[in-house]
Amino acid sequence: MRRPLPLALLLLVTPLAMAAGKPTVIPEAAITTATQLREAALKDDLALDFTRDLTTEVGARLAGSANDLKAREWVIARFKALGFDKVWTEAVGYPKWVRHGESGQILAPFPQPLTLTALGHSPGTPAAGLSGEVIGFANLDALKNADAASIKGKIVYVGPRMHAKRSGEDYGIGAGVRSIGPSLASSKGAIGFLLRSAGTDDNRLAHTGVTHFNEGVTPIPAAALSSPDADQIERILASGKPLTVKYTLDCGFEGEYTGANVIGEFKGSSKPDEYFIMGGHLDSWDLGTGAIDDASGIGIAVAAAKLIANLPKRPARSIRVVAFANEESGLYGGKAYAQAHAREIAKAVLGTESDLGADRIYKITASVKPEARAAVDQIAALLKPLGIDYDAKAPGAGGSDLSAVHAVGMAGLSLHQDATRYFDWHHTANDTFDKIDPEQLRQNVAAYVVVAYLAAQAKGDFGSRPGAFADAHE
């Protein structure tokens, strides 16, 4: 999901006003080829095979874990086996966070176990666990407005509920509590933090995800409860009886780690130095096998790129696929790519990324120069038979990691997936291959292959310039 970029990254480049120029057009012959690619994609299972094999042969891919390196080596080998003309890596550094174990229980007034999971970047509890009285808040605003004296020495619980929506917009509610809540609670004197999982299911499975502590704030042990356990906590709090819980988190930082973005490229026929960029993030949380978040995203991009590479004649520009490192803990891979390529970002003619599962794409949005809007109209017309509408007024930053690249000047196009089911499984042990719907996955590939081919074959550019979109990223 979108995260704001640090000011230092935005200042790498000087925003430039985009001068009016010739309109960007897509040749009629390219429309014909893209139509053929779209139909071929609806019968193609490379994305499904890629997702199945990555989640089976590697499994969970927590950033900095042993499987992080295993996954990188696996993707490098698979890219080479698929015939990418060039495969390489670019280093990405970040703090290494580990999880060894966790447990929780209600001590009083009604002793019973709790299903919970540590949030990424949470510190561990003492070895004997952390015990304390719980004070509950309905939402983040209630916590913000609370008197610190009522919180000091207690464990804070915050419990807003997300609801399933096609847009996935309620994630802002759950993720907001998860990312901001622990730091806020600690600043008011709390000794620990619990929240209702950022998810839309009622399964007794907790959703993990990263949290952040502001500078100068003491990190406190933070964990997410499964939705049924959150309900149980709220019922007891509503009874007026003092509630005491205990939980043990064996987790925390263990130094620094150097991972890498894995990049594969099929060379263009006449403008090989320019490229269309797409992909997903290679890391996943450790609870499931990272099928919908985000092996399928890389699989979609790989399948689309391979269909284009198999053409008798390649498009003018190159097709670049990136498996980004450590998106989950702060877009580290996307930020590293943006920093490394900021001054040459005009070469990235357009970009889009899949990181909202594998269900059907229903909408396209774009942030491009005005002279390229007609070309986006042409792209949208070819996507319409796939059930995809075009919202010409909304921006499109390209996706989670590519939002960082968009912010330093890459023109962005977003293919919005139906997120109705996504947050039932997101960041849980239920993020597994069986959640992939093959037909919906093929529709994704069909959309990506149309966008990638037409952008790579367009006459003219889409507005990528150093700093061009720095003030307009999502």
Side-chain angles (χ1 to χ4, degrees):
M1 311 304 290
R2 304 286 191 270
R3 296 181 178 89
L5 292 173
L7 181 62
L9 182 56
L10 295 178
L11 294 178
L12 279 171
V13 290
T14 302
L16 302 176
M18 288 182 292
K22 294 181 180 179
T24 304
V25 222
I26 295 171
E28 191 60 37
I31 299 289
T32 301
T33 302
T35 303
Q36 295 167 350
L37 286 168
R38 182 189 69 198
E39 299 310 304
L42 293 173
K43 302 181 183 74
D44 186 79
D45 277 337
L46 177 55
L48 189 70
D49 295 344
F50 185 99
T51 306
R52 178 199 63 215
D53 293 349
L54 177 56
T55 57
T56 301
E57 296 171 22
V58 179
R61 304 171 301 282
L62 182 66
S65 68
N67 271 10
D68 183 298
L69 176 58
K70 184 177 178 181
R72 255 182 289 144
E73 292 174 340
W74 188 96
V75 171
I76 290 168
R78 184 59 62 98
F79 279 10
K80 289 179 178 178
L82 288 169
F84 278 86
D85 297 321
K86 184 181 179 184
V87 179
W88 73 100
T89 62
E90 295 178 356
V92 180
Y94 48 85
K96 179 181 177 179
W97 184 84
V98 300
R99 182 202 317 271
H100 298 298
E102 54 211 7
S103 63
Q105 59 187 302
I106 295 172
L107 296 179
F110 310 116
Q112 58 193 277
L114 290 170
T115 297
L116 53 72
T117 187
L119 300 183
H121 290 193
S122 170
T125 62
L130 175 70
S131 301
E133 183 181 348
V134 175
I135 180 170
F137 298 95
N139 52 49
L140 201 55
D141 284 341
L143 174 59
K144 288 177 181 177
N145 295 327
D147 183 357
S150 68
I151 293 172
K152 187 174 182 180
K154 295 179 181 177
I155 294 171
V156 164
Y157 164 79
V158 184
R161 184 185 295 271
M162 287 174 53
H163 297 93
K165 296 181 180 179
R166 184 171 69 165
S167 66
E169 63 192 78
D170 267 18
Y171 186 56
I173 298 171
V177 173
R178 191 189 69 213
S179 60
I180 299 170
S183 183
L184 178 60
S186 179
S187 72
K188 289 176 177 277
I191 60 171
F193 186 88
L194 298 171
L195 77 150
R196 178 187 296 274
S197 282
T200 53
D201 64 302
D202 287 315
N203 296 314
R204 204 171 185 192
L205 291 170
H207 298 238
T208 190
V210 74
T211 192
H212 304 279
F213 291 93
N214 293 337
E215 187 174 351
V217 173
T218 301
I220 57 175
L225 294 159
S226 78
S227 191
D229 288 87
D231 290 341
Q232 192 80 310
I233 290 290
E234 291 180 13
R235 281 191 290 270
I236 297 172
L237 288 172
S239 75
K241 294 181 173 66
L243 169 62
T244 304
V245 303
K246 174 182 178 181
Y247 59 101
T248 303
L249 308 181
D250 185 358
C251 61
F253 288 110
E254 293 185 357
E256 297 291 315
Y257 182 84
T258 301
N261 293 329
V262 181
I263 306 169
E265 188 169 273
F266 288 114
K267 287 294 182 183
S269 58
S270 60
K271 297 180 179 179
D273 289 340
E274 297 180 16
Y275 59 90
F276 175 84
I277 181 172
M278 57 183 167
H281 63 85
L282 184 53
D283 67 306
S284 77
W285 287 104
D286 49 324
L287 305 182
T289 59
I292 62 167
D293 188 20
D294 189 31
S296 59
I298 304 172
I300 289 163
V302 165
K306 181 62 174 171
L307 284 166
I308 294 170
N310 288 344
L311 290 169
K313 183 178 179 181
R314 299 267 181 91
R317 298 180 179 90
S318 298
I319 304 293
R320 183 173 292 188
V321 175
V322 184
F324 289 101
N326 198 359
E327 183 270 349
E328 294 293 2
S329 291
L331 296 178
Y332 283 96
K335 290 174 183 175
Y337 188 94
Q339 184 166 352
H341 297 272
R343 299 191 185 281
E344 56 178 35
I345 204 61
K347 293 180 180 179
V349 64
L350 189 64
T352 189
E353 179 186 8
S354 175
D355 185 18
L356 198 64
D359 280 0
R360 188 171 296 275
I361 294 167
Y362 70 94
K363 182 174 74 171
I364 176 178
T365 61
S367 291
V368 298
K369 67 178 186 179
E371 297 82 5
R373 279 290 165 186
V376 178
D377 289 342
Q378 290 178 286
I379 292 171
L382 258 71
L383 297 179
K384 189 69 175 175
L386 297 171
I388 301 171
D389 294 324
Y390 175 33
D391 184 348
K393 296 181 179 179
S400 54
D401 284 291
L402 285 182
S403 64
V405 187
H406 177 67
V408 296
M410 179 200 74
L413 184 148
S414 295
L415 291 163
H416 301 260
Q417 292 154 307
D418 187 329
T420 305
R421 302 193 305 160
Y422 181 65
F423 291 105
D424 282 357
W425 310 314
H426 175 257
H427 294 182
T428 74
N430 250 345
D431 181 358
T432 48
F433 179 69
D434 57 293
K435 308 307 183 303
I436 305 293
D437 181 321
E439 183 178 350
Q440 296 193 65
L441 188 67
R442 293 184 202 106
Q443 186 256 13
N444 277 254
V445 177
Y448 270 77
V449 78
V450 166
V451 172
Y453 181 77
L454 293 182
Q457 192 68 342
K459 302 291 184 183
D461 64 87
F462 289 83
S464 294
R465 300 284 187 277
F469 299 95
D471 296 325
H473 72 281
E474 293 181 30

